[in-house]
Amino acid sequence: MARRKKIYEGKAKILYEGPEPGTLVQYFKDDATAFNAEKKATVDGKGVLNNRLSEFFMTGLNMIGVPTHFIRRINMREQLIRSVEIIPLEVIVRNVAAGSMAKRLGLEEGTQLPRPIIEFSYKDDALGDPLVPEEYIIAFGWASQQDMDDIVALALRVNDYLSGVMYGVGIRLVDFKIEIGRVYEGDFMRLIVADEISPDSCRLWDIATGQKLDKDVFRRDLGSLTDAYTEVARRLGVMPANTPNTSKPTLIN
Ligand code: TMP
């Protein structure tokens, strides 16, 4: 079989040319990185879990009318997505102070914020994804004022959806990151949710115990990342179908 054309390789995913124009295949690797790839590891099964979990969240968003790049899952590690022009921003929504916000402002992690707060980082590994004000984004032409209004509306809808879904399974959505892409339909441009939504890009805390069920387990060496992500998948009823079949073979007449 001819080798597929690789379009882009990131830290956790690879994008290949898709089967039809306007599509791509998104492959989820087992690689985990933190602190701008200063810390690296291979975490068995992470790619499979994130493929499933991102499918689950993106499908739910599509169902409630929040447009995403997700088309369908292809196999354990790959999904078919719409090709988009990525806006070079990390759109971060925070409900509870944690991570870099807690550090920057000297807030105790776990402090409930007065309202969801949205912030933007400029996607540039060499610069370490610096936080940027909206004024920079517009002045440098990464997005227009109208785009920013649409991005904020999308981010808040994603936040409401994800918070509710997670609350339903006893998990507090502390914060998350999404990326937004442009798609062109005739003369029109639309913004849609792209990249991935998974425990790699969210902070998820068990409501009862406060246990971390996200990539902070890896960042802060808190135990098994696979176990944490498997727990999220289990609660959501999204288990990868790779459980060995131990039943005896049956004869088919
Ligand atoms: P932060 O508190 O480290 O700024 O992270 C905020 C949220 O964004 C958290 O849910 C983790 C997510 N995130 C990413 O998805 N990618 C990144 O590179 C970073 C730094 C954070």
Side-chain angles (χ1 to χ4, degrees):
M1 199 179 84
R3 240 183 109 71
R4 285 181 297 184
K5 187 170 167 203
K6 193 191 281 188
I7 304 290
Y8 174 82
E9 177 156 6
K11 285 175 285 203
K13 297 184 295 293
I14 305 173
L15 296 177
Y16 295 99
E17 198 170 61
E20 332 157 6
T23 67
L24 294 171
V25 173
Q26 178 163 257
Y27 175 98
F28 287 78
K29 300 195 272 189
D30 278 344
D31 297 350
T33 65
F35 316 118
N36 207 5
E38 258 175 54
K39 179 171 178 170
K40 284 187 208 170
T42 302
V43 178
D44 278 348
K46 180 173 87 81
V48 174
L49 285 155
N50 281 353
N51 186 27
R52 285 280 182 160
L53 284 163
S54 204
E55 171 192 16
F56 176 82
F57 296 126
M58 297 272 184
T59 304
L61 286 168
N62 285 340
M63 291 290 294
I64 61 164
V66 178
T68 81
H69 72 165
F70 181 82
I71 302 173
R72 65 181 163 81
R73 188 166 56 80
I74 298 169
N75 58 39
M76 300 257 285
R77 287 183 182 274
E78 295 178 330
Q79 48 184 244
L80 186 69
I81 58 168
R82 289 187 70 171
S83 167
V84 303
E85 192 180 290
I86 284 283
I87 295 181
L89 297 174
E90 303 211 325
V91 179
I92 296 159
V93 182
R94 300 180 187 271
N95 299 304
V96 176
S100 66
M101 173 190 248
K103 198 167 163 194
R104 191 177 314 115
L105 301 182
L107 293 170
E108 194 182 335
E109 281 209 312
T111 310
Q112 184 76 41
L113 298 171
R115 43 168 254 192
I117 294 177
I118 305 182
E119 64 185 42
F120 306 96
S121 295
Y122 177 53
K123 259 173 75 72
D124 185 317
D125 281 342
L127 298 175
D129 300 338
L131 196 65
V132 284
E134 197 170 311
E135 197 171 358
Y136 287 21
I137 298 169
I138 290 161
F140 290 116
W142 301 324
S144 68
Q145 184 63 62
Q146 179 63 56
D147 293 336
M148 293 310 287
D149 295 346
D150 293 348
I151 289 171
V152 166
L154 275 174
L156 289 175
R157 291 188 73 192
V158 174
N159 186 43
D160 284 347
Y161 165 78
L162 279 183
S163 298
V165 167
M166 299 317 299
Y167 180 73
V169 296
I171 293 174
R172 190 176 186 200
L173 178 68
V174 171
D175 55 33
F176 65 93
K177 183 265 302 188
I178 50 172
E179 294 183 22
I180 303 292
R182 299 177 194 281
V183 288
Y184 297 90
E185 287 156 2
D187 287 343
F188 296 96
M189 185 278 293
R190 278 205 309 151
L191 298 178
I192 69 176
V193 178
D195 190 51
E196 71 176 289
I197 300 178
S198 75
D200 267 14
S201 53
C202 300
R203 280 199 176 89
L204 305 170
W205 296 355
D206 181 77
I207 289 174
T209 65
Q211 188 191 354
K212 295 185 192 340
L213 298 170
D214 57 64
K215 203 163 108 182
D216 274 348
V217 170
F218 170 72
R219 293 190 191 97
R220 303 178 188 189
D221 296 319
L222 301 175
S224 160
L225 195 68
T226 316
D227 287 357
Y229 289 20
T230 303
E231 176 61 15
V232 176
R234 189 192 64 77
R235 290 195 197 185
L236 294 169
V238 186
M239 282 299 282
N242 62 350
T243 349
N245 182 357
T246 49
S247 65
K248 289 199 186 109
T250 21
L251 280 176
I252 298 167
N253 301 314

